[in-house]
Amino acid sequence: MIKGIFCHYLPLYKDINGSYCSTTMTNDLFARYLEVCDELTVATRVYNLNTTAEKAHQEVLNLPAVKILEFPNLSNPKIFLTQYLKHKKRLAENMRDKNLIFVRGGVIAVMAAGIALKMNKPYFAEAAGYAWDEYWNYSLLGKFLAPIMELNSRKVIKNAAFVLYVTEKWLQAKYPTNGISEFASDVVLNEIDEDALKNRLVKIQNMSAQNQIVFGTTGGIGNKAKGQHFFIQAMDRLRDEFNIRYELTGGGNDEFLKAQAQKYNLTDKVIFNGELTHEEVFKWLDSIDVYIQPSMQEGLSRAVVEALSRACPVIASSTGGNPELVNSNCIFKRGDVNDLVRVIKNFMAEDLKLQAEQNFNHAKNYQANKLDERRRKFFKRYRDFVTGGNS
């Protein structure tokens, strides 16, 4: 039996029935790893919910071959100082009998990579984001952690036996490796619906009859690094030219963004939709006019790719892999509200039908069948490297 372990720092949730759930760490995600191992342990943060997964709009993780190794929030200074060594020992004990080791971002991944090197076990790293931005733009504590996590992330990628990058060029330049590398987005797009483009073109045709333009962003609303407040500030500057409604989907503490909307007298224009399931997100994307990704940090944005697949016109910040996804005239300098305003003005004067067609066609490069085949071959190459081809 081939045993694998997946070490990450994105949280899973446990609902009141004891079911693990998430909108990102799903059955579809872990099915990839189960193609090369018979059993997979997932080592990550776990938070408890006081409701059911369904009511929290989370997808239940219920693959029998997936086991969860729970960790607390090790980014909390008190927990880190008092419990780090205990949890490092737990992780090492769980890694001893594992054949395949997958690490992907955060404290637990860094911990696992160091343990793997000491055990002389070749590990597989997934480069999905820029650590400096992820921490620096998150909080005051994050600014302290940013240089530490950046240095550790560079070491993790450099020393990995295999590295899978989610970007084609950007992360490769940030995090070079001595190992074998490949690139494949971690975005999951199943069959692309050709009707999405037809419906979008009709929607754009009818925009002139609307008295309002609906922009939207999906992502954690409690995370300032997602940059929604930059767009709210831009709305204030554009109010004399455009009647904009801004819809936000995603969970988290909404106090900061609601305060921003109130500050600029936009409370009736900024709408909070809460957490949506993956399926609900696609329906929501069809309802908006323009998708905006104003984030301060990204790897390769799943949200942007999903918007492209629904033929949404898209504006995005210059961070991460966004310039690989969106036309240069739709990119603004991250964190620069003046540049965002400039791009929006130019964007609204352009042919949105052409934007929709280009975006829809580009999204086809991220269809699951294409990416899965590339990823599958690379995973099997790692497995055969570890097992000598005896699987």
Side-chain angles (χ1 to χ4, degrees):
M1 172 182 281
I2 297 179
K3 296 182 178 181
I5 186 167
F6 175 85
C7 305
H8 198 9
Y9 205 54
L10 273 180
L12 278 175
Y13 300 94
K14 186 189 288 186
D15 75 0
I16 57 173
N17 297 319
S19 297
Y20 293 103
C21 55
S22 173
T23 57
T24 52
M25 305 238 276
T26 62
N27 289 338
D28 286 341
L29 172 66
F30 295 126
R32 301 173 183 174
Y33 303 90
L34 290 174
E35 290 188 12
V36 292
C37 59
D38 303 298
E39 179 183 289
L40 183 70
T41 297
V42 175
T44 194
R45 281 183 294 168
V46 174
Y47 295 133
N48 292 317
L49 297 175
N50 58 5
T51 185
T52 64
E54 183 180 11
K55 289 183 178 178
H57 297 276
Q58 302 288 321
E59 296 179 31
V60 173
L61 176 61
N62 54 13
L63 295 174
V66 172
K67 313 299 179 185
I68 308 301
L69 180 62
E70 297 187 17
F71 284 82
N73 180 12
L74 292 172
S75 293
N76 180 296
K78 183 177 179 180
I79 294 175
F80 182 87
L81 291 173
T82 60
Q83 299 184 31
Y84 177 83
L85 292 178
K86 178 182 75 173
H87 291 295
K88 183 177 181 180
K89 183 178 179 181
R90 280 180 62 229
L91 183 58
E93 289 171 352
N94 275 273
M95 287 174 60
R96 290 190 192 284
D97 67 340
K98 302 302 186 289
N99 308 97
L100 306 182
I101 300 168
F102 299 93
V103 303
R104 182 176 176 177
V107 177
I108 298 170
V110 170
M111 190 190 300
I115 293 169
L117 288 174
K118 288 184 179 179
M119 291 182 173
N120 199 28
K121 290 190 174 191
Y123 64 88
F124 186 113
E126 296 182 62
Y130 184 30
W132 180 278
D133 281 351
E134 289 176 7
Y135 284 87
W136 184 265
N137 294 303
Y138 189 75
S139 65
L140 286 175
L141 176 61
K143 287 176 170 53
F144 171 76
L145 293 173
I148 299 170
M149 292 305 297
E150 174 66 10
L151 179 61
N152 282 320
S153 297
R154 289 182 182 277
K155 289 180 179 178
V156 168
I157 301 302
K158 181 180 179 180
N159 294 321
F162 285 73
V163 180
L164 184 66
Y165 296 92
V166 299
T167 62
E168 195 167 343
K169 298 177 181 178
W170 191 76
L171 283 169
Q172 286 86 331
K174 294 289 184 184
Y175 299 121
T177 182
N178 293 330
I180 300 166
S181 66
E182 178 60 277
F183 75 92
S185 167
D186 60 345
V187 174
V188 178
L189 282 182
N190 294 317
E191 285 295 320
I192 292 182
D193 183 2
E194 293 293 333
D195 286 339
L197 177 58
K198 296 176 186 177
N199 295 335
R200 178 64 60 181
L201 294 179
V202 172
K203 185 173 179 60
I204 292 172
Q205 181 69 35
N206 294 332
M207 278 180 64
S208 58
Q210 298 175 194
N211 63 359
Q212 195 172 62
I213 303 166
V214 182
F215 282 72
T217 301
T218 182
I221 60 172
N223 182 356
K224 292 182 182 179
K226 291 299 181 182
Q228 297 100 325
H229 56 293
F230 297 124
F231 186 73
I232 293 172
Q233 292 171 33
M235 287 173 65
D236 177 55
R237 301 187 191 186
L238 291 164
R239 67 168 75 234
D240 292 336
E241 297 176 61
F242 304 105
N243 181 13
I244 296 174
R245 172 188 171 100
Y246 186 30
E247 296 194 9
L248 300 98
T249 72
N253 188 325
D254 60 10
E255 290 182 6
F256 171 71
L257 292 176
K258 284 187 174 179
Q260 287 285 295
Q262 186 173 19
K263 175 181 178 180
Y264 295 103
N265 196 27
L266 290 167
T267 52
D268 61 328
K269 302 289 188 181
V270 179
I271 311 301
F272 296 85
N273 292 325
E275 192 88 49
L276 301 180
T277 65
H278 207 191
E279 183 178 342
E280 289 169 337
V281 166
F282 282 96
K283 291 180 181 178
W284 169 77
L285 285 169
D286 290 340
S287 74
I288 65 173
D289 298 311
V290 181
Y291 184 80
I292 172 79
Q293 189 75 5
S295 47
M296 292 293 288
Q297 63 87 12
E298 292 289 350
L300 194 83
S301 172
R302 184 181 82 168
V304 170
V305 174
E306 290 176 347
L308 300 181
S309 77
R310 304 310 295 177
C312 269
V314 174
I315 295 173
S317 65
S318 57
T319 196
N322 286 346
E324 295 182 12
L325 298 174
V326 181
N327 289 340
S328 59
N329 58 336
C330 303
I331 294 287
F332 70 95
K333 185 178 179 181
R334 66 174 190 172
D336 189 331
V337 177
N338 289 331
D339 198 41
L340 174 55
V341 168
R342 176 190 66 80
V343 168
I344 292 172
K345 287 181 178 180
N346 293 338
F347 179 87
M348 296 307 298
E350 291 183 2
D351 185 350
L352 295 186
K353 287 187 177 181
L354 179 61
Q355 293 280 4
E357 291 172 352
Q358 290 175 341
N359 290 350
F360 184 74
N361 289 327
H362 187 57
K364 293 179 179 179
N365 294 323
Y366 297 90
Q367 288 185 93
N369 58 349
K370 294 181 180 180
L371 293 173
D372 284 350
E373 183 59 26
R374 184 186 302 166
R375 190 184 297 107
R376 187 178 296 113
K377 288 180 178 178
F378 198 54
F379 276 20
K380 289 180 178 178
R381 190 176 175 186
Y382 167 58
R383 180 198 63 192
D384 292 344
F385 176 83
V386 171
T387 65
N390 299 314
S391 58

